[in-house]
Amino acid sequence: GESVGLHLPTLSVQEGDNSIINCAYSNSASDYFIWYKQESGKGPQFIIDIRSNMDKRQGQRVTVLLNKTVKHLSLQIAATQPGDSAVYFCAENKGGGSQGNLIFGKGTKLSVKP
Amino acid sequence: DGGITQSPKYLFRKEGQNVTLSCEQNLNHDAMYWYRQDPGQGLRLIYYSQIVNDFQKGDIAEGYSVSREKKESFPLTVTSAQKNPTAFYLCASSMTGINEQFFGPGTRLTVL
C-alpha cells in the first residue's frame, strides 16, 4: 500500500507580515537553545541562539524569546520575505553544559505567499 | 574558504551493500557529528566524536559505523545491517565547549 509520510506543522504568511514559530522543549536542565533554517535539499543554517540566562535575543530581522517557566521557545521573523520559506528547527543542548550534543525538534515549515 | 563538505550529494546502493559517506571540515573543529533525517522529521544523532580516535554512539547507531583517524575527517559507513538506510544524512562540526554546530550540505542515500 501507499506509505504516508509525517506532515510537518506548517505556517503560511503573507510577504511583509511577521512570522512566529513556536517550539516546546523537554529538558529543564538545558541551558542553550538554537534555531536553524533548512532549505529544501540543503543542510541546516544557523539563525540565532540564546542561553537560559536570557529571555530575549535579537538578530537581524529575527528575535528569539525564551520562557523557561513553560519550557517554550519562539522565533519571530520580521517583515517575512519569500527567501524565508524553509523548515525551521529549534534545538536544545542535551543535559546542559557545553558538550555540543543537541536535541532537535521536528521542525515547522514556513511558506511565504507573495 | 572554510567549511564542511560532504560527498557525494546523491548516492545509490543495492540492498546488502555497505557504503561510506564522506565528511571533511577545515574549520579546525574538534567535535564532529552524523545525523539522519527522514521526511517530515527532525535530525536524529547517529554517532559523534569529541576528539580524534574517539567516538560515541548516538540515539540510532545500529547498522552504522564511523572512524575518526584525522581531525578533519569523520566518515560514516552504512552497513547492510541497517534495515532502512534510505534517508538524508547530515554531518556537522563544532568547537570544543561551543554548542553551535555547523552543517554540511548533506548526502541523500537511496537503497534500490
Side-chain angles (χ1 to χ4, degrees), chain A residues 32 36 38 89 98-100, chain B residues 37 48 50 97 99-101 104:
Chain A
Y32 174 85
Y36 284 96
Q38 186 179 27
F89 292 97
S98 302
Q99 295 306 308
Chain B
Q37 186 176 31
Y48 63 101
Q50 300 284 359
N99 289 282
E100 181 188 347
Q101 294 180 16

Side-chain angles (χ1 to χ4, degrees), chain A residues 32 51 97-100, chain B residues 30-31 33 50 94-100:
Chain A
Y32 174 85
R51 294 210 166 272
S98 302
Q99 295 306 308
Chain B
D30 286 307
Y33 312 82
Q50 300 284 359
S94 67
M95 292 172 62
T96 300
I98 302 295
N99 289 282
E100 181 188 347

Side-chain angles (χ1 to χ4, degrees), chain B residues 14-79:
Chain B
K14 294 180 180 179
E15 273 191 48
Q17 289 181 336
N18 292 355
V19 62
T20 298
L21 281 60
S22 168
C23 178
E24 303 278 332
Q25 54 97 3
N26 61 4
L27 300 167
N28 201 31
H29 287 172
D30 286 307
M32 297 187 74
Y33 312 82
W34 273 106
Y35 293 91
R36 171 185 171 131
Q37 186 176 31
D38 293 286
Q41 298 201 40
L43 282 63
R44 292 186 290 168
L45 183 64
I46 305 172
Y47 267 98
Y48 63 101
S49 169
Q50 300 284 359
I51 198 168
V52 174
N53 291 323
D54 188 40
F55 49 83
Q56 286 79 39
K57 293 181 179 180
D59 300 317
I60 55 165
E62 186 175 349
Y64 300 98
S65 66
V66 293
S67 63
R68 187 83 188 279
E69 297 176 4
K70 298 188 301 182
K71 186 175 185 178
E72 301 79 18
S73 179
F74 191 40
L76 173 74
T77 297
V78 184
T79 74

Side-chain angles (χ1 to χ4, degrees), chain A residues 40-103:
Chain A
S40 182
K42 297 183 178 180
Q45 295 174 284
F46 170 85
I47 302 174
I48 193 168
D49 58 3
I50 188 169
R51 294 210 166 272
S52 59
N53 60 355
M54 301 173 70
D55 296 324
K56 177 179 180 179
R57 191 168 186 218
Q58 288 185 289
Q60 188 177 11
R61 275 203 310 120
V62 294
T63 300
V64 55
L65 298 177
L66 176 62
N67 185 331
K68 295 179 287 293
T69 302
V70 295
K71 292 191 281 188
H72 183 268
L73 194 66
S74 68
L75 176 70
Q76 301 178 1
I77 304 173
T80 313
Q81 302 167 1
D84 295 327
S85 294
V87 176
Y88 290 81
F89 292 97
C90 66
E92 59 184 298
N93 67 338
K94 187 173 182 180
S98 302
Q99 295 306 308
N101 284 14
L102 298 173
I103 302 173

